[in-house]
Amino acid sequence: MSWLNSVRNVIPFVAKRETPDNLWHKCKGCGQMIFTKELEDNLSVCPKCDHHERIGPKARFQHIFDDGSCSELPAPKVPEDPLKFRDTKRYTDRLKTARTGAQEADALVNARGTIDGHKAVVGVQDFAFMGGSMGLAVGEAFVRGVEAAIADQCPYVIFTASGGARMQEGILSLMQMPRTTVAIQMLHDAGLPYIVVLTDPTSGGVMAAYAMLGDVQIAEPKATLAFTGRRVIENTIREKLPDDFQTSEYYLDHGLIDMVVHRRDLRQQLATVIGYLAPAAKAA
């Protein structure tokens, strides 16, 4: 036996400790590495540069609703692949992958509860689910959310985050634009507020439809808000656009939205707006 083998037999082996892959998060705003726990405790807002990370329905509901008041509405059943669409993958396979990753049935989830004591139905689009794209399921979920708000006699609040209409459903996805517009009119006919919170990013057919039809338009800081991409516009008009073009702050300066609200203040701001617009919706 060699000297090296003798030493190996004497010195106890200590297994290398694995570092969890999700221990750190690289901020998309400033590029700094942040403890994931610290980021989550700060509502997924970078403590160094204030960049608002994208969050899904469950995190949003936890932040917005009063403790113990939230109950999710069932996901609507719609035809899953009406056009039998296939590109590099079958559409049904893309849906399975999205559902596994996002842990949601589709890109829009509704819940009812209270916000500082005020009843509300809240819908949240999840950009992690196929870019928050709008198809039959999103359109139907929006209508169901409005119907639930009418039944509860309370406002409907929508958090938008979308790349636009879902191409795999073709014209059927575009038909959700008039459907959601009619649903909003139903809410108005019932004398109930419709409140929109624009989050990063909101664009395309969603931006052209229910995202810009709110009685009150709120946005999170520095969210990208657009119908058409910046590069397409610049190539069309042959002009350089301002650096802050298609951001929340640009929209506010040009009168397209009512306010830009930091995530930490959003719950209280929504409660204040609901209190002004629907005082009767205060829960008993």
Side-chain angles (χ1 to χ4, degrees):
M1 182 181 290
S2 69
W3 174 85
L4 182 58
N5 287 334
S6 299
V7 172
R8 281 177 176 168
N9 291 334
V10 173
I11 300 175
F13 173 75
V14 179
K16 182 180 178 182
R17 299 177 66 180
E18 295 281 340
T19 302
D21 293 336
N22 61 349
L23 186 61
W24 292 89
H25 175 85
K26 185 175 181 179
C27 175
K28 296 179 179 64
C30 63
Q32 294 291 313
M33 299 300 292
I34 310 159
F35 274 117
T36 302
K37 181 66 166 57
E38 181 185 3
L39 183 68
E40 291 173 351
D41 290 344
N42 201 41
L43 302 176
S44 294
V45 176
C46 177
K48 302 183 186 299
C49 72
D50 237 18
H51 175 74
H52 284 50
E53 298 285 348
R54 297 167 186 169
I55 59 176
K58 285 182 171 53
R60 187 73 73 177
F61 293 148
Q62 185 178 11
H63 169 223
I64 292 298
F65 284 123
D66 299 337
D67 291 342
S69 74
C70 173
S71 61
E72 287 190 17
L73 275 61
K77 301 293 184 183
V78 297
E80 292 209 339
D81 188 9
L83 303 182
K84 308 300 179 190
F85 190 91
R86 182 186 184 115
D87 43 50
T88 56
K89 288 183 182 179
R90 292 186 304 173
Y91 179 37
T92 51
D93 292 337
R94 292 192 182 277
L95 285 173
K96 289 176 184 176
T97 301
R99 284 170 182 157
T100 300
Q103 297 294 304
E104 301 291 354
D106 213 281
L108 176 57
V109 182
N110 288 306
R112 53 164 48 98
T114 59
I115 304 173
D116 195 25
H118 296 278
K119 291 191 299 181
V121 175
V122 177
V124 177
Q125 279 186 274
D126 189 357
F127 194 79
F129 194 106
M130 297 185 69
S133 52
M134 175 183 62
L136 286 171
V138 168
E140 186 63 25
F142 186 95
V143 173
R144 297 283 181 88
V146 168
E147 290 174 344
I150 293 172
D152 291 355
Q153 284 296 288
C154 67
Y156 184 52
V157 182
I158 184 76
F159 286 79
T160 62
S162 178
R166 191 170 297 176
M167 60 170 286
Q168 290 89 348
E169 297 184 21
I171 190 64
L172 296 175
S173 64
L174 295 178
M175 287 304 296
Q176 305 316 303
M177 296 170 68
R179 283 195 75 212
T180 54
T181 302
V182 171
I184 294 167
Q185 187 58 51
M186 289 167 52
L187 200 65
H188 289 160
D189 291 344
L192 298 169
Y194 172 56
I195 301 168
V196 178
V197 183
L198 301 154
T199 74
D200 181 71
T202 299
S203 61
V206 169
M207 190 67 173
Y210 55 85
M212 292 303 291
L213 293 177
D215 298 313
V216 176
Q217 298 283 143
I218 304 171
E220 288 192 329
K222 298 180 181 177
T224 297
L225 311 174
F227 173 65
T228 304
R230 179 192 186 97
R231 184 176 61 183
V232 173
I233 297 173
E234 287 184 335
N235 288 341
T236 301
I237 66 174
R238 302 285 190 251
E239 289 184 19
K240 178 69 175 173
L241 295 168
D243 291 338
D244 64 344
F245 184 68
Q246 294 182 328
T247 64
S248 303
E249 291 73 17
Y250 185 91
Y251 273 53
L252 181 64
D253 289 344
H254 289 76
L256 296 174
I257 61 176
D258 298 300
M259 61 189 86
V260 176
V261 181
H262 194 284
R263 191 171 291 167
R264 66 170 172 262
D265 303 320
L266 194 50
R267 182 175 177 275
Q268 189 55 54
Q269 187 63 63
L270 282 173
T272 300
V273 170
I274 293 171
Y276 286 145
L277 299 182
K282 186 80 171 179

